[in-house]
Amino acid sequence: MAFPFDIGFAKSARAAGGLVILLQVAGQTAASVDDVDPEGAVTRATGVAKFTGKALKTLDVLAPHGASADRILVLGLGDADKLTAHDWLKAGGAAAAKIRGSEKATIYLDAPGITVTAQNAADFALGMQLGAYSFDTYKTKKADDEEARGGKAAKVTLVTAHANAAKKANDISDAVAEGVILARNLVNEPANVLGPVEFADKAKALEKLGVEVDILTEREMKKLGMAALLGVAQGSVRPPRLAIMQWKGGKEKDRPIAFIGKGVVFDSGGISIKQAAGMEDMKGDMGGAAAVIGLMHTLAARKAKANVVGILGLVENMPDGNAQRPGDIVKSMSGQTIEVINTDAEGRLVLCDALWYCNETFKPQFMVNLATLTGAIMVALGSHHAGLFSNDDTLAGRLTAAGLATNERLWRMPLGREYDKMIDSKFADMKNTGGRYAGSITAAQFLQRFVKDTPWAHLDIAGTAIGSPSDEINHSWASGFGVRLLDELVRANYEG
């Protein structure tokens, strides 16, 4: 996967022209590199500008007298004792923004008042790759900075005393970046290009990394009794698919862990059609599936020592003459019947059959599903946390910790029998929506009916996967939320 930067690591480097970036923590001076700035232009500039090294603040010195660089930029890191992994990511993203248009840059990571580890360096590099991402596939005129480089990646050298260890750590960071960028690309793709079949082809492409992939067609799903999933798809001329990905990096005897993604490639709402305003955003209603395929790419690319299953329920929800109607009753793969009250509550119908299939086929240690499922979760949490629902405190705790480590944060929401009454149906075992109140909770209660006693978590990422606030490591409409979170969950808890 092509990156905008060709990043290398070195213990020392002489900068001849181009951009040099120096780091500075609060209360200290910037790094001093005598051969870059022998006449102390940076020291004078920081004094005149009263630059103190506040987090992500910058000082730009153009054509410094006597310096070997054409431009020297000082980047603030903030308080040294408060720096987290996410702060290093953000610093890398901030640096990436300043490199735009440059053909080469040398970044000196070591600075007074701080000890930079190999992981810090790798996190900085990951932040650069994520921060530089843009989706311009359909633009006929490329950005000025890309035009200036002729489409070539900018050559960046990160200078640190721990260069050799940083190179190894960066191999993992590159795998994470590839997974996040894959997820972003898929969510950003227009629905006329990315249908269920095309999405399944993306999953099939992971075979080159060693992932075992099976694709179930409409006919095969019908034999399995997946009428809930198929009911969503029946209004579209584009056939549904169920993509099953297996990464077998652990011991043969170990039961797998499983991740399931909602992949509604476009959601019109069906017969319960959505308002026209903003409907174009519903090309992103497959953000859960994008996160799962991005995770599987990352795990395979970094050769994770775990057995992992990823399942994508891929459909399009459209309102033609064959579309599912409000009031229809369908039988899920589990045998439970569902009254369809609202055809726009379709994601849970896709997931219930995918969850049941996963549980029955693979007997996993746990299942985590991800979905841009409800607007209600955005009312509750906005765009800074995803909703976490779980029947298992250990799994919920590990997911929460992974979210804090990656800053892809989760907030646990309640489950309870009282909410079950809201989705009881007069005509079937359940209905697919419980009405206006507690909408995200009743959706989770619905899904819980399809997991038996298997430890399970549902992540409602409606507010975080698409249209979330821009920051130093993401300027894209699609964030790729969930890839780093779940990779951290696997790495911290399920790899030996």
Side-chain angles (χ1 to χ4, degrees):
M1 186 171 292
F3 286 135
F5 300 122
D6 176 12
I7 297 178
F9 295 84
K11 291 184 177 180
S12 62
R14 291 183 61 87
L19 169 66
V20 164
I21 297 180
L22 307 176
L23 304 187
Q24 180 177 336
V25 297
Q28 297 282 344
T29 58
S32 176
V33 185
D34 292 339
D35 62 330
V36 173
D37 183 25
E39 298 188 19
V42 169
T43 301
R44 293 195 302 275
T46 54
V48 171
K50 294 183 172 56
F51 185 82
T52 61
K54 287 185 179 180
L56 306 181
K57 297 295 184 182
T58 58
L59 176 68
D60 217 341
V61 184
L62 298 175
H65 185 267
S68 61
D70 298 325
R71 173 185 167 208
I72 300 177
L73 182 113
V74 185
L75 172 62
L77 292 178
D79 294 336
D81 57 352
K82 295 180 180 179
L83 279 172
T84 65
H86 190 67
D87 290 322
W88 283 102
L89 284 177
K90 291 196 296 182
K98 297 298 182 180
I99 295 174
R100 290 187 182 278
S102 300
E103 293 185 4
K104 64 178 179 178
T106 307
I107 304 175
Y108 294 86
L109 297 179
D110 299 324
I114 188 172
T115 300
V116 179
T117 68
Q119 189 58 53
N120 295 152
D123 288 338
F124 188 95
L126 175 58
M128 290 185 65
Q129 304 288 27
L130 297 182
Y133 171 85
S134 65
F135 186 78
D136 60 359
T137 303
Y138 301 99
K139 289 183 177 290
T140 56
K141 187 180 186 309
K142 301 302 181 184
D144 291 342
D145 60 302
E146 189 174 344
E147 291 279 4
R149 297 196 311 269
K152 296 180 180 178
K155 184 172 180 57
V156 178
T157 303
L158 300 183
V159 183
T160 174
H162 301 290
N164 291 335
K167 289 177 186 176
K168 294 180 180 179
N170 192 59
D171 288 341
I172 294 175
S173 293
D174 276 351
V176 174
E178 289 172 2
V180 174
I181 289 171
L182 172 59
R184 288 179 181 178
N185 283 341
L186 290 170
V187 175
N188 281 326
E189 280 284 359
N192 62 314
V193 173
L194 187 73
V197 172
E198 293 78 11
F199 203 128
D201 289 342
K202 296 291 186 182
K204 197 71 174 172
L206 295 187
E207 289 181 334
K208 66 181 182 289
L209 295 177
V211 180
E212 296 180 12
V213 183
D214 292 306
I215 308 297
L216 301 189
T217 65
E218 186 175 13
R219 182 178 179 181
E220 291 164 313
M221 286 186 276
K222 192 171 184 178
K223 286 183 179 179
L224 289 168
M226 294 186 173
L229 184 154
L230 292 173
V232 177
Q234 72 187 44
S236 174
V237 297
R238 306 163 93 179
R241 292 290 185 266
L242 192 78
I244 302 111
M245 302 166 288
Q246 296 183 70
W247 170 251
K248 297 179 179 179
K251 297 177 181 178
E252 188 174 349
K253 65 178 182 178
D254 291 344
R255 290 163 58 205
I257 57 179
F259 302 93
I260 300 94
K262 170 190 171 183
V264 180
V265 296
F266 187 78
D267 180 22
S268 68
I271 296 298
S272 307
I273 197 165
K274 295 177 181 290
Q275 292 182 346
M279 195 193 289
E280 68 274 10
D281 287 351
M282 288 300 97
K283 70 175 187 176
D285 207 19
M286 28 60 72
V292 172
I293 192 174
L295 170 69
M296 297 302 291
H297 180 107
T298 291
L299 296 177
R302 69 173 182 80
K303 307 300 180 189
K305 295 179 180 179
N307 296 329
V308 186
V309 172
I311 294 181
L312 316 176
L314 304 170
V315 302
E316 183 176 51
N317 187 21
M318 296 292 278
D320 86 340
N322 194 48
Q324 186 167 251
R325 296 156 291 261
D328 283 2
I329 294 177
V330 296
K331 181 183 284 188
S332 68
M333 185 183 174
S334 72
Q336 298 175 91
T337 57
I338 304 162
E339 181 187 8
V340 180
I341 299 297
N342 187 330
T343 65
D344 193 25
E346 85 299 330
R348 64 205 71 181
L349 299 175
V350 173
L351 286 171
C352 72
D353 277 343
L355 282 165
W356 191 268
Y357 174 85
C358 180
N359 211 15
E360 293 296 296
T361 305
F362 297 104
K363 304 292 190 289
Q365 296 180 53
F366 69 77
M367 297 188 293
V368 176
N369 71 255
L370 296 90
T372 50
L373 205 65
T374 67
I377 202 65
M378 297 177 67
V379 174
L381 300 177
S383 297
H384 298 287
H385 288 77
L388 163 63
F389 301 83
S390 183
N391 63 0
D392 185 87
D393 290 343
T394 299
L395 178 58
R398 288 175 174 177
L399 280 163
T400 300
L404 292 172
T406 58
N407 209 53
E408 293 194 334
R409 293 171 292 175
L410 306 174
W411 191 264
R412 193 171 185 183
M413 301 287 286
L415 292 168
R417 292 180 180 176
E418 301 85 354
Y419 296 104
D420 266 329
K421 296 178 181 179
M422 297 172 69
I423 55 172
D424 286 341
S425 167
K426 294 178 181 178
F427 306 107
D429 294 328
M430 69 195 84
K431 53 188 179 181
N432 75 326
T433 179
R436 178 182 178 187
Y437 297 112
S440 59
I441 301 173
T442 53
Q445 291 290 149
F446 179 96
L447 294 175
Q448 190 176 25
R449 297 186 181 197
F450 298 88
V451 302
K452 294 184 176 179
D453 295 325
T454 300
W456 156 81
H458 157 53
L459 305 185
D460 194 334
I461 61 174
T464 54
I466 54 177
S468 56
S470 176
D471 61 17
E472 287 78 16
I473 64 170
N474 181 44
H475 306 286
S476 165
W477 179 73
S479 67
F481 183 96
V483 176
R484 293 190 298 114
L485 163 73
L486 298 180
D487 179 65
E488 175 65 22
L489 173 75
V490 175
R491 190 191 341 241
N493 301 285
Y494 300 102
E495 291 192 71

